[in-house]
Amino acid sequence: FYQCKSLYTIDFLKKYSFFISPVVLSLFGKSKKALILDCDNTLWNGIVGEDGIDGIQLSETNKKGIFFKEFQILAKYLSNKGIILGICSKNNENDVNDVFESRKDMILLSTDIIIKKINWTNKSSNIESIAKELNIGLDSIVFIDDSTFEIELIKEQLSQVYTLQVPEDLSLYPIKMLELTNLFYTSSISKEDLDRNRMYKEDLLTIPANLAGLPAISFPNG
C-alpha cells in the first residue's frame, strides 16, 4: 500500500481481471462459440487404436479415468448451453465412432458432437475448415489437445484460436476445464442459443456437395 497506494496486490488484480473479463468479452460479442477436442488422451485416457475400445479409461472406476469423466461433464454442460462441440483428431474414424457407440460410460454422446474432422490431415487445416463450415471466426474457437506439437502448431499457424494443452498432472485437468468455461460466458441464454446446435447440424447436413468437395450423401431421418 505504501509503495503503490493500492489496496490490492497485483496478484489479486490479475485474478480479479480473470473473473470479470468473460463479462466484458460477452458485452462486446467476443465470447467463444465452439470447443474443438482431440480424442486420445483428451476425451479419454489412452489411445484407442492401441489400447482398444475397452482399454481406454474414462470413468470413476479408474484413477486416471475419473479426470476425463469430469472433463466430459463440463463439456456436456457447455453443449447444453448451446456451445458447439467438435472433434479434430488424427485417428481412425471408425475407432472413434465405436467408442461413442460402445462405451456406456461416455458422458458425451455422438449427438453432442456437431462437427468432426477425424483424419490424418494437419490439424490447422482441419480447424480452418471447421471455422468455414460453421461460419464462425477462428477467434471464436477453443482447441484442446494433449500434444505439445499440435498445440504449438495451432499457436503458430492459427494464433486467433485459444488453445489448452491437457496438463501432465491430470488432477488439474478438470480445474483447467472449469476455468475455461468462463470464455463461453453469456449473460443470458435465449431459446435460439439452446437451439443453436440443432440448427448447425441442419445447416451442415444441407451443405451442397459441390461446396464440400464430396459426393452427395443422403442422411435418413435427418
Side-chain angles (χ1 to χ4, degrees):
F1 173 79
Y2 289 116
Q3 289 179 335
C4 305
K5 299 298 185 288
S6 171
L7 292 175
Y8 306 109
T9 65
I10 297 297
D11 286 340
F12 171 83
L13 293 173
K14 286 179 179 179
K15 199 70 174 178
Y16 181 69
S17 66
F18 171 81
F19 282 105
I20 67 168
S21 60
V23 180
V24 177
L25 291 172
S26 176
L27 290 173
F28 286 92
K30 297 295 184 180
S31 294
K32 305 300 182 183
K33 296 180 176 68
L35 177 63
I36 309 302
L37 306 167
D38 180 35
C39 290
D40 295 327
N41 292 313
T42 301
L43 273 179
W44 50 73
N45 185 58
I47 301 172
V48 67
E50 297 176 7
D51 301 318
I53 293 172
D54 296 326
I56 59 173
Q57 302 161 347
L58 46 89
S59 72
E60 68 276 7
T61 59
N62 180 273
K63 63 181 181 180
K64 291 184 178 179
I66 181 62
F67 304 124
F68 293 86
K69 177 180 180 178
E70 291 182 0
F71 170 83
Q72 287 198 28
I73 289 171
L74 290 167
K76 183 88 168 185
Y77 161 76
L78 290 176
S79 176
N80 290 339
K81 286 181 61 179
I83 301 305
I84 303 162
L85 296 188
I87 287 177
C88 179
S89 176
K90 289 181 178 177
N91 224 316
N92 182 316
E93 187 169 7
N94 288 334
D95 287 344
V96 173
N97 290 338
D98 286 345
V99 172
F100 278 92
E101 292 172 9
S102 304
R103 287 295 297 257
K104 303 306 180 186
D105 46 359
M106 281 281 289
I107 300 297
L108 289 175
L109 306 177
S110 59
T111 52
D112 295 319
I113 308 301
I114 305 303
I115 190 165
K116 297 178 184 177
K117 298 291 179 183
I118 305 172
N119 50 44
W120 303 100
T121 302
N122 141 350
K123 289 191 178 182
S124 62
S125 298
N126 277 333
I127 290 177
E128 283 186 303
S129 294
I130 286 172
K132 287 178 182 176
E133 290 178 37
L134 294 174
N135 194 29
I136 61 175
L138 289 169
D139 60 352
S140 296
I141 293 176
V142 174
F143 175 60
I144 302 180
D145 201 302
D146 66 298
S147 165
T148 300
F149 171 81
E150 300 293 359
I151 291 293
E152 292 302 319
L153 175 72
I154 300 305
K155 284 182 177 180
E156 179 183 338
Q157 298 188 4
L158 303 175
S159 58
Q160 308 98 309
V161 174
Y162 188 97
T163 59
L164 171 67
Q165 184 172 356
V166 179
E168 289 187 16
D169 181 352
L170 290 177
S171 67
L172 298 176
Y173 193 24
I175 298 170
K176 294 292 184 183
M177 180 58 181
L178 183 61
E179 292 176 348
L180 199 67
T181 60
N182 284 330
L183 297 176
F184 299 92
Y185 173 85
T186 180
S187 58
S188 62
I189 302 175
S190 66
K191 184 178 183 300
E192 288 73 20
D193 292 327
L194 297 176
D195 285 344
R196 184 181 296 125
N197 285 343
R198 176 185 57 77
M199 292 187 289
Y200 270 114
K201 281 183 180 179
E202 291 175 355
D203 288 344
L204 289 172
L205 293 180
T206 56
I207 291 175
N210 62 326
L211 292 181
L214 298 169
I217 301 173
S218 61
F219 295 87
N221 302 322

